[in-house]
Amino acid sequence: MSLQLTLLGWSASGLRCPDHQVHLCPENSTTPYPVTLVQMPNGTGKTTTLNMLRATLSGAAREWNSQKIREFQRSGDSTQSGQFVVRLGMDDNLLTFELNLDFIQRKVAYRTSSSHSYGIRDGFLPPREIKKFLNPEFVNLFVFDGELANTLLNPKQTRARDAIDSLFQLSLLEKAAHHFQDNWERHAQNSSSKSTQGLTRRQNNLNRLKIKRDKIKIERDALQVQQSQLKLARQEAEKDYDQALGKDQNIGTRLQTIKVQFDQAEKVVEREVEKTTEKMRDPQRIIPGLAASLINLKANLDRLKLPTSTSKEFFEELAEAQECVCGRQMDDVTRQAVRDRAMQYLGEDEVGVLNRIKSDIADYCGGNPEQYHQDFQEQVQGLQKVIRTRDEFKTELRSLEEERLKQGDSELEAKKQHLDQLREQLDQCNQRLEEIERSPHSKPSEDTDCLKELEFLIRKAEDDVAEVTHTLTLKRKTEIVRCILNQAHEHAREELRKIMIEETNQRITQLLSRDPVRLEDIQHSLKLQGRSGASVGQTLSVSYAFLATLFNRSNHQLPFIVDSPAGALDLNVRPEVARLVPQLGKQFVAFTISSERQSFVDSLHQAAQGNVQYLTLFRKTSRMDALWQNIDANQLTETVDGVMVTGKEFFERFDLDEEL
């Protein structure tokens, strides 16, 4: 069922930001403006406001320590408490989340109210329908800043794939699979067993294997992150080392030439290995004389008119004969029996197999049968030749490196040592991952670290428990259901990944037409094609494109709240991003400063067809008084320490990036 969640407004008091109240809907309406721009100079408390929005919407403040709470107390003020209130619309339900900070006791408290229930209740209590969205991980997706943009492309993080799983609720399939597993475990636990000691031993063994599997999974995930980090670090170290090697002009020029030749030779080797591997799939190329033997087999089948002769003519001729092949006299009953049972011998399946064998022999072994093995031998010899050529360049490279290192350059030696350490660490990481992810042996040992072997041992241990508790049938049914759910989860994730990559790349092309990048894959993070990183502007644009695709693909409508939507973008990219903003969802709220307006606000105003609310919020000080003294009272909201002005005219005249 689709759900529409809108941000109706918020209010702040007693915090590091000025006291203020923001209404995101036109007067006498509960439908917010499609776009709201909140202009706040640096130093006004923009970061505080955004952090309080995240904390109030996610319940994250429950984990804050006293130092964290103190950070939100107004500087130089004796205020004992602070409050931040967020108002949401959930379809026809009006929700209020209230976060109260006690600066004396260093404690926080939440309160929640709903138009569908009576009164205000203590605690952070989001309705069940939106609980999955109002958590620290997911709130950070729609209360967006440059830090999130970096984490989406950071291989150390898992934010991109988690975002897809969360918004499309793929985790529900995993949870359902766990529920079925828990159901069987409860039945096994509660079932009676003739031998309590035997059941306890089996359950202990099962629990031990599960604990070990979970630890290995955690280790694997950490190793995968470490592997990505080490690969990036190695690339940077190789670049630094190559630059240091090239400082000697004579050796550097030779090194560069040979390095290019080595890289080209490496690519040739890769291509030849691929060709050789492909040819190795055909056994007639590897085994001498096999092609001739297969051709001889086909000729014999043709001569005997198999399979057609055997499947039809043989049984018809037998049914018409006077005697059976065993010498017994044939009568009408036995003749009919032969005809009736003929299809049991060399039926349609067997006929089809024989025909396919003959057809494949003709396709793969036609022509000169000796040529196949000869061609493969030539392919192998060609591969050996290009490997020797590559190795010669590699030897020459090492010789030049040693010649350069003998010059006694301490900086070069340090870079070499650092690179060798990274390579060694990466090798160790790869070896450990290979052991964890390798194919299982037929008889795995109990002390294995291979995940597939552990899964096999766990299934076997579960069968042992199921057998002794008489729940084996339930266990089998549970396995079938879990297999279906897990396959559905993987299939859905893979299909969504393909769709997301294609549609995100279409948006990236629009945003970065002058300096395009392409999204290659979505795994733990967003992976760019042929790049280990991107500029700040490219990172932000790719993140916008990904999130726009993500939100538009979902049945659920969520607000999109952004800090500095155009700050890191080049001027030529800003209009493209501005035109994308209305596509991000039905509600866009952005916090900005005056220097971000250029090439962004007018394009956004036009893309949103003028349906934009402009708010300018600043701290009330004597040096700021002149800015607002002549403003129409209908456009002005004044608090004890803050001023908020509505309207595009004042928004565009306000030229302060920093608070006076």
Side-chain angles (χ1 to χ4, degrees):
M1 184 179 69
S2 63
L3 177 146
Q4 184 169 347
L5 189 67
T6 55
L7 179 62
L8 305 180
W10 69 85
S11 62
S13 61
L15 302 169
R16 293 184 69 88
C17 58
D19 292 356
H20 65 279
Q21 185 168 5
V22 171
H23 299 280
L24 299 177
C25 303
E27 193 173 354
N28 300 322
S29 173
T30 57
T31 302
Y33 289 95
V35 177
T36 295
L37 298 180
V38 183
Q39 185 171 221
M40 297 175 69
N42 289 324
T44 306
K46 180 160 61 82
T47 301
T48 297
T49 305
L50 281 159
N51 285 334
M52 293 305 295
L53 269 171
R54 292 189 187 98
T56 308
L57 286 170
S58 67
R62 291 172 294 186
E63 305 298 324
W64 287 354
N65 57 30
S66 59
Q67 180 62 35
K68 181 71 172 179
I69 295 170
R70 187 178 179 180
E71 291 176 4
F72 293 96
Q73 186 174 11
R74 190 171 292 163
S75 181
D77 198 319
S78 59
T79 303
Q80 297 184 2
S81 63
Q83 185 184 72
F84 200 89
V85 180
V86 177
R87 303 184 306 281
L88 297 177
M90 187 187 77
D91 296 330
D92 62 341
N93 188 7
L94 302 181
L95 302 168
T96 301
F97 295 99
E98 183 180 307
L99 174 56
N100 295 290
L101 291 83
D102 185 336
F103 297 126
I104 303 300
Q105 299 292 327
R106 301 283 192 264
K107 293 181 179 180
V108 301
Y110 281 92
R111 298 204 304 170
T112 306
S113 66
S114 166
S115 62
H116 285 186
S117 61
Y118 296 101
I120 299 175
R121 295 178 293 166
D122 290 335
F124 180 71
L125 304 169
R128 178 180 54 82
E129 297 89 340
I130 60 171
K131 192 173 183 179
K132 57 182 169 289
F133 300 128
L134 300 189
N135 59 69
E137 291 75 24
F138 198 84
V139 164
N140 284 335
L141 290 175
F142 63 85
V143 184
F144 177 91
D145 59 14
E147 183 180 351
L148 173 64
N150 289 327
T151 59
L152 285 173
L153 275 78
N154 189 342
K156 301 177 186 179
Q157 307 287 336
T158 59
R159 301 295 294 277
R161 189 165 67 181
D162 287 349
I164 295 175
D165 284 2
S166 297
L167 194 60
F168 293 100
Q169 303 177 65
L170 298 186
S171 59
L172 293 179
L173 293 168
E174 288 183 321
K175 289 179 180 178
H178 287 310
H179 281 310
F180 279 100
Q181 180 68 14
D182 292 343
N183 177 64
W184 168 75
E185 290 178 359
R186 283 195 303 272
H187 277 78
Q189 189 72 33
N190 296 330
S191 296
S192 60
S193 172
K194 294 181 180 179
S195 172
T196 304
Q197 183 178 0
L199 174 60
T200 301
R201 177 174 55 79
R202 287 172 170 82
Q203 287 178 332
N204 288 341
N205 182 50
L206 175 59
N207 292 335
R208 179 185 62 79
L209 289 169
K210 285 184 175 180
I211 290 171
K212 182 173 184 179
R213 176 197 59 190
D214 293 342
K215 286 182 178 179
I216 295 294
K217 281 186 175 181
I218 292 171
E219 182 186 0
R220 178 201 59 189
D221 293 343
L223 284 169
Q224 287 174 342
V225 172
Q226 183 185 9
Q227 185 186 53
S228 298
Q229 294 172 342
L230 287 171
K231 284 181 178 179
L232 292 174
R234 184 194 62 184
Q235 289 175 2
E236 293 298 322
E238 286 175 345
K239 190 184 301 181
D240 291 343
Y241 180 61
D242 287 344
Q243 289 176 352
L245 275 174
K247 282 185 178 180
D248 183 299
Q249 189 171 0
N250 182 34
I251 294 179
T253 303
R254 291 158 60 197
L255 268 171
Q256 185 62 31
T257 301
I258 297 171
K259 184 79 164 56
V260 171
Q261 292 172 329
F262 173 76
D263 290 342
Q264 291 173 344
E266 185 72 43
K267 291 177 181 177
V268 172
V269 169
E270 289 175 1
R271 288 196 299 269
E272 293 302 312
V273 166
E274 187 175 341
K275 289 180 183 177
T276 305
T277 304
E278 185 64 29
K279 288 186 176 182
M280 287 176 66
R281 299 177 188 277
D282 299 331
Q284 75 275 16
R285 298 182 183 276
I286 302 174
I287 305 172
L290 179 61
S293 297
L294 289 172
I295 290 173
N296 187 47
L297 171 64
K298 179 181 180 299
N300 287 333
L301 289 172
D302 289 338
R303 181 174 57 81
L304 295 172
K305 297 182 180 180
L306 287 172
T308 307
S309 173
T310 303
S311 60
K312 292 181 179 180
E313 297 175 13
F314 173 78
F315 290 103
E316 282 297 328
E317 291 175 1
L318 179 61
E320 294 297 329
Q322 295 298 316
E323 291 184 349
C324 178
V325 291
C326 64
R328 189 178 62 179
Q329 290 294 318
M330 298 285 289
D331 55 26
D332 292 342
V333 175
T334 53
R335 288 190 177 91
Q336 189 59 43
V338 168
R339 293 189 178 99
D340 291 342
R341 297 179 185 181
M343 296 307 297
Q344 296 178 17
Y345 305 92
L346 284 179
E348 291 184 6
D349 291 343
E350 290 81 0
V351 171
V353 169
L354 284 174
N355 281 328
R356 282 195 296 274
I357 289 174
K358 291 166 63 177
S359 176
D360 286 346
I361 291 173
D363 290 340
Y364 290 98
C365 301
N368 181 4
E370 302 302 325
Q371 188 67 37
Y372 294 98
H373 182 65
Q374 184 178 340
D375 287 347
F376 181 71
Q377 291 296 105
E378 292 174 357
Q379 176 65 37
V380 171
Q381 292 168 5
L383 175 60
Q384 291 171 342
K385 181 178 179 181
V386 298
I387 288 175
R388 284 195 298 270
T389 301
R390 180 203 60 186
D391 291 346
E392 287 171 1
F393 288 128
K394 190 174 183 179
T395 301
E396 196 168 351
L397 271 177
R398 286 177 178 172
S399 176
L400 285 173
E401 279 186 44
E402 290 173 2
E403 183 180 344
R404 177 74 175 85
L405 287 166
K406 286 179 182 178
Q407 295 177 356
D409 189 330
S410 59
E411 180 187 359
L412 179 63
E413 289 177 357
K415 291 182 183 297
K416 169 70 171 172
Q417 185 177 5
H418 176 58
L419 177 57
D420 289 342
Q421 288 175 347
L422 288 173
R423 285 171 173 168
E424 184 179 356
Q425 291 172 9
L426 183 57
D427 286 343
Q428 292 173 352
C429 182
N430 289 337
Q431 289 172 11
R432 181 59 179 161
L433 275 173
E434 286 174 7
E435 172 60 24
I436 290 173
E437 297 178 330
R438 65 173 171 81
S439 299
H441 296 150
S442 57
K443 294 182 179 180
S445 63
E446 293 281 335
D447 61 349
T448 182
D449 287 341
C450 170
L451 274 177
K452 291 178 181 177
E453 289 183 352
L454 282 169
E455 293 290 356
F456 171 81
L457 292 172
I458 287 171
R459 288 194 299 271
K460 187 173 181 297
E462 286 176 344
D463 286 346
D464 290 342
V465 171
E467 184 177 5
V468 79
T469 57
H470 310 293
T471 57
L472 199 55
T473 301
L474 178 60
K475 171 69 169 47
R476 294 283 184 264
K477 292 179 179 179
T478 300
E479 287 177 347
I480 292 171
V481 174
R482 287 184 64 199
C483 181
I484 292 170
L485 290 170
N486 290 334
Q487 287 179 357
H489 179 267
E490 291 303 318
H491 180 72
R493 174 184 275 179
E494 179 62 18
E495 290 303 308
L496 283 170
R497 185 186 68 84
K498 293 177 183 177
I499 293 170
M500 291 291 296
I501 290 172
E502 181 180 354
E503 295 187 3
T504 299
N505 278 328
Q506 291 174 1
R507 286 189 165 90
I508 292 173
T509 302
Q510 296 173 4
L511 293 176
L512 299 173
S513 56
R514 300 187 184 185
D515 187 18
V517 296
R518 284 190 64 80
L519 185 63
E520 180 179 328
D521 202 359
I522 301 173
Q523 292 297 336
H524 293 296
S525 61
L526 303 180
K527 182 181 179 183
L528 299 180
Q529 192 174 69
R531 293 172 180 252
S532 59
S535 68
V536 176
Q538 287 173 331
T539 298
L540 190 58
S541 298
V542 169
S543 299
Y544 274 143
F546 170 71
L547 290 173
T549 304
L550 184 69
F551 290 155
N552 276 280
R553 269 280 162 187
S554 171
N555 290 328
H556 306 299
Q557 292 293 331
L558 301 171
F560 194 36
I561 305 159
V562 181
D563 180 21
S564 298
L569 299 174
D570 294 337
L571 293 180
N572 64 292
V573 178
R574 288 184 180 186
E576 301 294 340
V577 172
R579 285 190 281 271
L580 176 68
V581 162
Q583 303 175 34
L584 292 171
K586 291 191 175 181
Q587 185 182 16
F588 179 83
V589 179
F591 290 79
T592 184
I593 57 177
S594 60
S595 60
E596 294 182 71
R597 295 196 304 256
Q598 185 180 0
S599 300
F600 183 76
V601 171
D602 287 341
S603 297
L604 175 57
H605 189 87
Q606 185 177 1
Q609 298 179 348
N611 203 356
V612 180
Q613 179 180 219
Y614 296 91
L615 303 176
T616 305
L617 175 63
F618 51 92
R619 205 178 298 277
K620 186 165 64 174
T621 65
S622 58
R623 300 183 66 181
M624 302 284 281
D625 285 349
L627 293 173
W628 58 278
Q629 291 300 322
N630 298 320
I631 299 297
D632 187 331
N634 293 326
Q635 296 179 267
L636 187 69
T637 303
E638 182 183 355
T639 64
V640 64
D641 63 344
V643 177
M644 187 166 66
V645 181
T646 62
K648 189 172 187 287
E649 182 182 353
F650 185 85
F651 185 94
E652 292 186 325
R653 283 196 292 109
F654 192 85
D655 287 326
L656 294 177
D657 275 355
E658 299 285 343
E659 194 176 52
L660 292 176

